[in-house]
Amino acid sequence: MYKNFLTRGHSRALTRHHKLAAAGVAAFGAAAIGLSAVPSDASTTTTTETAAAPTAKVAYSTERIQDVKADVTDQLAGASLKAEQIAAKKQAAAEAAAKRKAAAAAAKAKAEARAEKARQAEEAASRAAERAEVKKAAPKTYGNDLDGWIRESLAIMKKHGIPGSYEGIHRNIMRESSGNPKAINLWDINAQNGIPSKGLLQVIPPTFAAYHVPGTSKNIYDPVANITAACNYAADKYGTMDNVDSAY
C-alpha cells in the first residue's frame, strides 16, 4: 500500500507535512521490529551513550551594564582619600610629637636656667659672707698720723666702755703736746720729782701704768697707748676727757 501510494502517478510533490509523517512511520516500524526480536524473558537495557548530557541553565540578561567606570572611579577616589587621611594623621602625630619634644626641651632649659641663677646667687651670697667675715676678723687699719691715732684709740675705748669724743681728745692733745708723740716735759713739778710727763697727752709713767688699757702697747710713747691710758684716767677723775680743759 505504501508503495502504491508513493508511486502513484501524481505529479504533485510531497509536502513537508507528508515527509515528516512518513519518517515517523518508518521510525515506528523499526522500533517495533527491534522489540519483537528481544526474547520475552530477557532484560532490556536502555543505553544513553548517544544522549546529550544535561547542561546547566545559563541566565542571560538583555540589560545594558551601566556605571561600571563610575564605580571604579569612586573606589579609586575613596582609596586615595583614605590614604591622604592616613598621611594627614601621621603628619599631625609627628607635629604633635615635635611640639611635645620642643616643649620638654624648653622646660628643661628654663629649669636649668633657674638652677644656674640660684647657684650663682648662692655663690654670690657665700662670697659676700666670706668678705664680711674677713672684714670682721681683720683689724681695721688706721692712718699713722694724729687723726688715725685718735680714731684707733676711740675704737679701743668703745670696747672697754671708756667715754670720750674725737673733739675732746684732739683739743687736749694740741694743748699738751701739739701732736708730738715724743713730747716730754722736763721743767714742771713732775719733772722736778723725776717723773716727767710724756707723750701726746703728757701722762707720767705711774699714771700710764695704773690706767694702761689691755691690748695696747706698754710703751708710754706709743700714740694709741698714751691716748687710751690718759682717757681712762680722765674718765676716772673727771668723767671724760671732754671735761678736761687744762693740766690734769
Side-chain angles (χ1 to χ4, degrees), residues 127-141:
R127 288 193 297 268
E130 289 176 359
R131 287 194 297 269
E133 288 296 325
V134 170
K135 185 177 180 181
K136 182 178 179 181
K140 185 176 180 179
T141 57

Side-chain angles (χ1 to χ4, degrees), residues 89-176:
K89 288 182 179 179
K90 289 182 178 180
Q91 180 66 23
E95 291 177 355
K99 288 182 179 180
R100 289 194 297 271
K101 186 176 180 180
K108 183 179 179 182
K110 189 174 181 180
E112 290 177 350
R114 286 198 302 268
E116 178 62 18
K117 187 175 181 181
R119 185 187 66 79
Q120 291 178 356
E122 184 178 357
E123 288 183 354
S126 178
R127 288 193 297 268
E130 289 176 359
R131 287 194 297 269
E133 288 296 325
V134 170
K135 185 177 180 181
K136 182 178 179 181
K140 185 176 180 179
T141 57
Y142 300 92
N144 189 25
D145 54 17
L146 182 59
D147 178 76
W149 300 331
I150 295 174
R151 292 185 185 282
E152 187 173 354
S153 294
L154 285 170
I156 296 172
M157 289 164 57
K158 184 178 181 180
K159 289 181 181 179
H160 292 274
I162 301 171
S165 68
Y166 185 97
E167 187 279 329
I169 296 172
H170 186 272
R171 174 168 45 81
N172 280 284
I173 287 175
M174 295 308 292
R175 188 189 69 250
E176 293 291 338

Side-chain angles (χ1 to χ4, degrees), residues 36-119:
S36 62
V38 178
S40 60
D41 57 349
S43 61
T44 61
T45 302
T46 303
T47 61
T48 59
E49 291 179 359
T50 59
T55 57
K57 294 182 179 180
V58 179
Y60 295 95
S61 175
T62 60
E63 295 181 2
R64 185 177 180 181
I65 298 175
Q66 298 177 352
D67 299 330
V68 173
K69 183 177 180 180
D71 291 341
V72 172
T73 302
D74 291 343
Q75 291 177 5
L76 292 175
S80 177
L81 179 60
K82 186 175 182 181
E84 291 177 357
Q85 291 175 344
I86 293 173
K89 288 182 179 179
K90 289 182 178 180
Q91 180 66 23
E95 291 177 355
K99 288 182 179 180
R100 289 194 297 271
K101 186 176 180 180
K108 183 179 179 182
K110 189 174 181 180
E112 290 177 350
R114 286 198 302 268
E116 178 62 18
K117 187 175 181 181
R119 185 187 66 79

